[in-house]
Amino acid sequence: MIINLTETTTDEIVSTLLSEGVSSGSRVLTLVIDTDRDGLEEALVAAHGASLDHPCRVVAVVSPTNGSDDADDDRRHNGHRPDGSLGHLDAEIRLGHDAGAGETLVLFPEGEAARHADTLVVPFLLPDVPVVTWWPYAPPVRPATSPLGALATTRITNTPSQPDPSSALAALAPEYTRGDIDLAWTRITLWRAMVASTLDSLLCAGAVRGVVVAGEPHNASVSLMIRWLRLRLGVDVERVDAPEVPGIATITVRTDSGDLVITRKDHERVMITRPGVERPQVVTMARREPVATMSEELRRLSPDLVYEEVLATFAEDSAQAAVAEERTH
């Protein structure tokens, strides 16, 4: 069920929730989504899917549209309602099968209301449960101090949605605050577990001499995997572009006895080829969908210290590049 409210207020939305008998008793968190109209439904599909494991209230704040030809809409975009006052708020309340395992509030602020999205959201935050803010598309420059990010203890960005994901992740690195996380990192959870279990015996023997990671150019998950491997293994890790494969294509580990190769075979499986073993091993490892990555982060709700360590290498590289550029002038 979807209830549409036009020219509404936060008090009216709260009253409507109460009249519909909405209870917050079983909710484990409030998920705030900062999105636009084009990305709204896709973001809600992921949020509602994740809510099946983590019942939550979803509050989606939709960025104002621009360029309407309608005179009333033009006044709204300039911060005025048709009656001449500042600001405007429309909303949807989604319940039942339209809302996952909880209720969903979709807020469409315009004008002055859009400039104070945090004050719109506060009345809908559930008491005594964590607040998570998610940017499924363009992240703010500094998530922790953005209006909606400041409300949350966990802040989730999604640099894989950007035109140049690796650059977007590098831009976020200097602004990192504990509690930030990016879904590019969550996407490689299974890859990291696979690599760790496969290489344990080689690491104990000190047999790893180098690593080559082949993957999609500008892919943020590939960039994170390379930096994680460097930190974990303490060896050189080379990057090779493989434009035909989304994400990570292969990880080749150079050892004293030959190459160990982990290859993405298809959407569901990877193949492990070990030196001296004639028959490769095929292991199930499905590509991670948005519902799975969101569900993992909503389950964690605590700072990921390994991610913090890996992300810091981006900031270190930027600082070193700045120093090198200054020396050349």
Side-chain angles (χ1 to χ4, degrees), residues 1 48 95-100:
M1 177 174 67
H48 292 162
L95 305 172
H97 70 275
D98 291 304

Side-chain angles (χ1 to χ4, degrees), residues 39 55 69 89 107 115 156 162 208 225 240 258 268 290 316:
D69 292 330
L89 176 63
L107 309 179
R115 287 188 280 275
I156 304 173
Q162 298 304 290
V208 176
M225 174 60 76
V240 175
E268 299 292 332
E316 291 167 4

Side-chain angles (χ1 to χ4, degrees), residues 15 22 25 50 65 71 76 90 94 113 115 139 151 163 218 257 299:
S15 295
V22 174
T65 54
R76 289 172 187 173
D90 292 337
R94 302 190 184 191
R115 287 188 280 275
L151 300 174
H218 310 296
S257 55
R299 180 171 58 252

Side-chain angles (χ1 to χ4, degrees), residues 189-208 211 225 228-229 232-233 251-255 257-263 270-275 277 280-285:
T189 297
L190 300 182
W191 268 105
R192 290 185 290 119
M194 174 72 68
V195 169
S197 62
T198 304
L199 297 187
D200 266 352
S201 60
L202 295 173
L203 290 175
C204 292
V208 176
V211 179
M225 174 60 76
W228 176 73
L229 286 168
R232 178 172 173 78
L233 303 180
I251 296 178
T252 302
V253 182
R254 312 290 192 197
T255 76
S257 55
D259 290 351
L260 184 152
V261 184
I262 305 173
T263 305
V270 297
M271 183 171 63
I272 304 173
T273 304
R274 291 179 170 85
V277 178
Q281 177 187 8
V282 178
V283 179
T284 299
M285 192 178 79

Side-chain angles (χ1 to χ4, degrees), residues 163-179:
D164 187 339
S166 286
S167 295
L169 190 66
L172 284 173
E175 307 300 332
Y176 172 84
T177 299
R178 186 163 290 183

Side-chain angles (χ1 to χ4, degrees), residues 299-320:
R299 180 171 58 252
R300 187 199 319 274
L301 293 185
S302 60
D304 188 323
L305 301 184
V306 178
Y307 172 73
E308 180 178 339
E309 183 182 12
V310 172
L311 195 66
T313 64
F314 282 92
E316 291 167 4
D317 287 352
S318 297
Q320 291 173 2

